[in-house]
Amino acid sequence: MNLSPSSNGGPVASDPAAWTMSSRPAATSAPPIELRNLNRWFGTTHAVDDVTFTVGVGEVFGYIGPNGAGKTTSMRILATLDEPSSGDAFVDGFSVVEDPDRVRSRLGFMPDYYGTYQNVNVWEYLDFFARAYGLRGTVRKRALDFVMDFTGLDDLARKPIDGLSKGMKQRLCLGRTMIHDPSVMVLDEPAAGLDPRARIELREMITRLAELGKAVLISSHILTELAEVCDRVGIIELGRLVAVGTVEEISSRVEQRIAVQVRLLGEVGPLVAWLQQQPEIEEVSAAEAHVRFVQSSERERSAEHLADTLAGMIGAGFRVTEFSTKSKSLEDVFLHVTQGRVQ
Amino acid sequence: MAIASDPAAMTEPTPARAEGGFWTRLDALISWLGEGLNPILVKETRQALKSRQFTLWFVLLLVACWITTVGGVALVGPSIYYVSAGGYLLRVYYAVLLLPLTVVIPFNAFRSLTAEQEENTRDLLEVSTLTPWQVVNGKLGSAVLQMLMYLSALAPCIAFTYLLRGVDLLTIGLLLLYAVLASIGLSMIGLLLAATNKQRRGQNFLAVVFAGGLFFAFSTIFAMSMAAMELDPGERSSPAFFWIHLGLLSLYATTFGIVYVATAGLCTFSSANRSTPLRVALVIQQAVFIAWCAGMIATSPAVGDGLLAIVFTASIYWFVAGAVLTSEPAELSQRVRRRLPQSLVGRALFSWFCPGPASGYIFAITNLGLVLLLWAGSIIWCRVTGSMPLASALFIAAVCWAYIVTFLGLGLLAITALRKVATLTLLGGFLVQVLLVLAASGVPLLVQVLSNRVRLGDATLYETTSPVLTVMRLTDGQLDATEEYLVAGVVFSAAASVLLVCLRLAGREAGLRRVAKPQRVIEDDLSMAPAAQPVPTNPWGDLAVRTARTEEREG
Ligand SMILES: Nc1ncnc2c1ncn2[C@@H]1O[C@H](COP(=O)(O)OP(=O)(O)O)[C@@H](O)[C@H]1O
Ligand SMILES: [Mg+2]
């Protein structure tokens, strides 16, 4: 697969506008994606609870939450497949409720299922969706060429889609989603079930889509899967958006909990006893020659705090041979932000 | 990059173009033709050509024809030169043709739409920019294409029957026409059924019921076609035969229009105006109906006893249509409100074509009123009343109208009230309307059962709640003058009071003002058509009727 069409310098690759079906007006003030107080009830289930956020041009926004958090529901509303109980969502400034037709020409939606036809090969499948989005003649040919190349499917053009591997099907779906050169792409759990290599390739493709100026909303229930590609993430739980920002912002906003491991000469028992008396130190545990504990503090003061703890230990006469910290992983951030409740 | 190195690879699916010259030009011609084709039609044709099921049916059909031909010729033997065996063979061929046309093709149309749901591709079609009309046209188009394949396969056989003598061209033409119309109509119904059911649950049940219905339709159409074939040539060229066919054809065409519009409406997003096209289709059918009735009254003095049939047909028709229209969602979307008629005249005339339950109510009762007025006018003008005095006929028509006004109005109020506490779908609203009539019709029965114990002086008062019973009594002349006055009093005052209440609702709906298009939409319209001239304002206000067409153009 060749993921970089620019390497060849073909007309399509160097000028993304050549692949568009119509020249769009210059960017308006409206953000490509905006959810405004979006609510969706299913009977008594509040699947989406007052969600508000925007995604800018060329931005990749990660929508992270456990299963059943309401990601698919809000994405389906954004894709005009469902309707909000209250609130509204906007794509390029158009309401998904009142102007779904205008939204549809600007949005590419990739659901979390494939949606395939029988007796259709890769080329025919993409050709059908290109026609369905109103691409005609040379524009369609260009779009097909571009997309097949982008997704690396050109060698499989004549292959029936039933026989494709999971990774290839996923690429085909991505190709279908971008065939009409939408300015907004909504991808629901695209990385689910992919092998590591396919996942890396998917990440590269998403990054390149953002470089082409598309606003990408991408969901996952695993934060690490997306941390590298996302400019910002929103963490959703029980339909409520609990945190929005860059990964760093979110992890800094939560209270810092730093895991520390200490190795020392001699008995560990006294150190455990000493630590248990210190404020802001928790989860003290001891193994043969080392002690583990967690120190919590404000982010700005955490380094100072650690130094104080170390100084205190030495001052109390412990002969420390090793003092190491492990900063919080993204998973920790995620676990901390969400409560682990499901509905 | 693959595009630059091998531009031919992706352009077309068949490898036939390398020959140059003629093939290249043919290919260019085909792709030029293909550009304008419906995307769904293109896709489904490609699928069908690879599908085993289609090949199987096609081969079966050919084999059946061959067996028939060889068997038939063998049976007749040398006498083939002077016996007119054409009619007999044609019957067999017709059965062989009708089976795929009225069963296989409509069922395929139904399945192709439900399969989109099962394979989750319906969502993908919905988020694409395909209009609902394109979806329906594509599905219907592929049914027509299959039909053409079957027809062309059978064409030589049918030509053979003509050579064998015993059938004339008119018969062959008529039989083929029946088969073609039946196939398209049943396919359309299949699409409607598939579109109504968006859940996967009832789908298998629906499929079985529909398949059963198709087999029934197959045998009915076959029997009726054979009956038409039995007619002797004199009858077949009589004017009555022609008029009946024309009448049936116009019924077919207008009904087809309604089903088509309804199917497309079911495939459209909910904030779109789905009601106006349906109402226009209903009005067209009604206009055709009026024209036929007027023609019948004016030309045949023997119509007499059929006069009331016209009234009953129109009443039932507008009750059913009104029950659907009054169940429409009460809230008009902002999108619909962008196109409401603005001027006074426009609002008075065209508000009733705009979506909304109360406007649907007014629409149904004014249309029924219009038919009945025209009917009354033409029977007075032509002086045909049959066996019944003119006054009685007019009275019965007025009672029918009053019943429809009352029941649709009560249903509308019930639906409006129910919507305050629960969500009610279109089907739910329709059922409320039907249940109301059934409940009211049950009252006389109840009274009869109870009257053994409760002595009631006059049962007629209770019977007026049942429209069917009352109208039957009136038609048969079972009521005396005082009873007729009683009926008139009850029915007309009920209608008047219900109408007054509903007019308030309708007034509120018609009073809705147009809302401005959002700024972003105006910007977009400008960018799509930068050179567009400003549209001159219409002195009649903006015709609501145009909404459908304009919206389609937008989409
Ligand atoms: N069509 C539906 N009917 C009823 N409940 C639904 C429907 N779709 C989703 N839900 C409920 O809404 C909640 C959110 O679901 P979903 O958006 O699919 O979550 P996610 O995609 O984050 O896993 C879940 O509790 C789910 O059960
Ligand atoms: Mg989901």
Side-chain angles (χ1 to χ4, degrees), chain A residues 40-43 45-48 63-76 82 112 188-189 219-221 236 238-239 342-343:
Chain A
R40 179 67 165 102
W41 291 86
F42 290 110
T45 309
H46 204 169
V48 180
Y63 204 30
I64 323 277
N67 289 327
K71 304 181 296 293
T72 301
T73 308
S74 27
M75 286 179 143
R76 281 177 63 86
D82 196 356
D112 55 357
D188 194 3
E189 311 233 356
S219 78
S220 172
H221 55 275
I236 181 174
L238 287 181
V342 286
Q343 62 181 11

Side-chain angles (χ1 to χ4, degrees), chain A residues 101-326:
Chain A
D101 44 352
R102 292 175 208 253
V103 168
R104 286 169 186 180
S105 63
R106 291 163 168 81
L107 176 128
F109 175 54
M110 179 162 148
D112 55 357
Y113 42 78
Y114 296 122
T116 54
Y117 289 110
Q118 277 166 359
N119 296 317
V120 163
N121 67 30
V122 167
W123 184 88
E124 288 168 341
Y125 187 73
L126 290 175
D127 181 64
F128 169 61
F129 283 100
R131 285 170 190 265
Y133 278 101
L135 307 191
R136 299 276 178 267
T138 50
V139 179
R140 189 175 74 241
K141 182 185 170 306
R142 257 204 315 249
L144 282 171
D145 290 346
F146 181 85
V147 166
M148 296 256 239
D149 180 62
F150 185 95
T151 52
L153 285 168
D154 9 25
D155 298 334
L156 303 174
R158 300 279 173 273
K159 209 167 153 117
I161 54 179
D162 302 332
L164 292 181
S165 69
K166 204 162 187 175
M168 285 299 150
K169 263 191 190 158
Q170 199 69 321
R171 285 194 202 178
L172 181 66
C173 292
L174 186 69
R176 176 196 73 214
T177 310
M178 58 187 279
I179 193 85
H180 58 300
D181 190 18
S183 51
V184 167
M185 297 191 62
V186 176
L187 316 176
D188 194 3
E189 311 233 356
L194 293 187
D195 62 42
R197 184 186 186 83
R199 203 170 288 180
I200 291 168
E201 285 166 355
L202 179 77
R203 251 182 256 164
E204 283 177 45
M205 286 192 268
I206 291 168
T207 312
R208 286 195 38 229
L209 285 173
E211 282 164 12
L212 290 174
K214 307 196 177 311
V216 185
L217 176 63
I218 175 172
S219 78
S220 172
H221 55 275
I222 307 167
L223 179 62
T224 40
E225 211 169 68
L226 296 186
E228 291 160 46
V229 280
C230 292
D231 299 310
R232 283 193 305 145
V233 295
I235 295 181
I236 181 174
E237 189 184 34
L238 287 181
R240 228 163 300 138
L241 208 54
V242 286
V244 185
T246 61
V247 174
E248 291 77 49
E249 275 169 10
I250 291 180
S251 40
S252 74
R253 203 175 313 152
V254 300
E255 195 189 23
Q256 283 284 310
R257 289 162 52 82
I258 299 172
V260 183
Q261 179 169 313
V262 180
R263 212 176 265 276
L264 73 164
L265 291 176
E267 285 290 307
V268 293
L271 179 60
V272 172
W274 183 82
L275 283 170
Q276 274 164 347
Q277 270 143 37
Q278 306 300 313
E280 294 171 332
I281 286 182
E282 303 156 350
E283 296 175 31
V284 183
S285 65
E288 289 164 37
H290 58 256
V291 177
R292 288 206 183 104
F293 63 90
V294 172
Q295 173 177 318
S296 49
S297 58
E298 305 274 313
R299 186 179 171 84
E300 297 76 41
R301 296 196 49 247
S302 62
E304 206 180 317
H305 223 117
L306 276 177
D308 290 348
T309 308
L310 181 57
M313 267 184 225
I314 292 167
F318 296 108
R319 301 173 69 193
V320 177
T321 58
E322 192 186 313
F323 186 91
S324 59
T325 63
K326 191 166 130 258

Side-chain angles (χ1 to χ4, degrees), chain B residues 266-531:
Chain B
L266 284 169
C267 298
T268 313
F269 47 90
S270 63
S271 65
N273 180 356
R274 303 187 274 189
S275 190
T276 302
L278 189 64
R279 292 183 193 198
V280 172
L282 288 171
V283 165
I284 291 174
Q285 182 157 56
Q286 148 152 307
V288 171
F289 176 71
I290 291 174
W292 280 107
C293 293
M296 244 154 58
I297 293 172
T299 53
S300 66
V303 76
D305 294 332
L307 279 180
L308 283 176
I310 295 176
V311 173
F312 300 150
T313 311
S315 304
I316 293 170
Y317 182 83
W318 282 111
F319 173 75
V320 174
V324 173
L325 295 179
T326 50
S327 316
E328 284 180 357
E331 292 288 325
L332 293 200
S333 69
Q334 295 292 310
R335 185 190 179 90
V336 168
R337 293 186 59 187
R338 284 179 209 159
R339 295 179 174 280
L340 289 181
Q342 267 181 312
S343 69
L344 191 66
V345 182
R347 274 162 64 181
L349 286 180
F350 296 112
S351 280
W352 322 117
F353 281 92
C354 294
S359 91
Y361 170 71
I362 302 290
F363 180 80
I365 63 168
T366 41
N367 269 297
L368 179 61
L370 187 72
V371 184
L372 296 183
L373 275 182
L374 287 174
W375 170 85
S378 57
I379 63 169
I380 293 170
W381 177 264
C382 302
R383 296 170 199 289
V384 277
T385 53
S387 51
M388 185 173 282
L390 182 65
S392 305
L394 294 182
F395 178 63
I396 291 173
V399 167
C400 282
W401 190 73
Y403 268 124
I404 301 293
V405 169
T406 313
F407 277 105
L408 282 182
L410 286 177
L412 172 66
L413 296 176
I415 290 169
T416 313
L418 278 175
R419 287 229 164 106
K420 292 235 158 72
V421 291
T423 50
L424 201 62
T425 58
L426 193 79
L427 184 65
F430 183 79
L431 289 180
V432 167
Q433 291 276 19
V434 173
L435 284 179
L436 210 63
V437 174
L438 289 182
S441 306
V443 168
L445 289 178
L446 202 68
V447 171
Q448 257 173 20
V449 171
L450 291 179
S451 63
N452 290 335
R453 270 167 276 160
V454 188
R455 283 277 141 219
L456 288 165
D458 191 357
T460 322
L461 187 61
Y462 298 91
E463 283 179 6
T464 51
T465 57
S466 166
V468 178
L469 199 60
T470 309
V471 172
M472 253 165 50
R473 293 260 155 98
L474 284 174
T475 315
D476 295 347
Q478 290 174 1
L479 302 183
D480 58 32
T482 43
E483 282 171 334
E484 282 189 3
Y485 280 124
L486 185 70
V487 168
V490 172
V491 174
F492 291 144
S493 52
S497 38
V498 170
L499 186 62
L500 273 182
V501 179
C502 290
L503 273 179
R504 279 185 58 88
L505 280 182
R508 214 175 299 156
E509 243 169 55
L512 277 181
R513 292 288 168 162
R514 177 183 285 202
V515 297
K517 279 185 187 176
Q519 188 56 37
R520 186 72 184 88
V521 173
I522 297 172
E523 274 171 31
D524 191 46
D525 284 343
L526 283 178
S527 71
M528 296 300 269

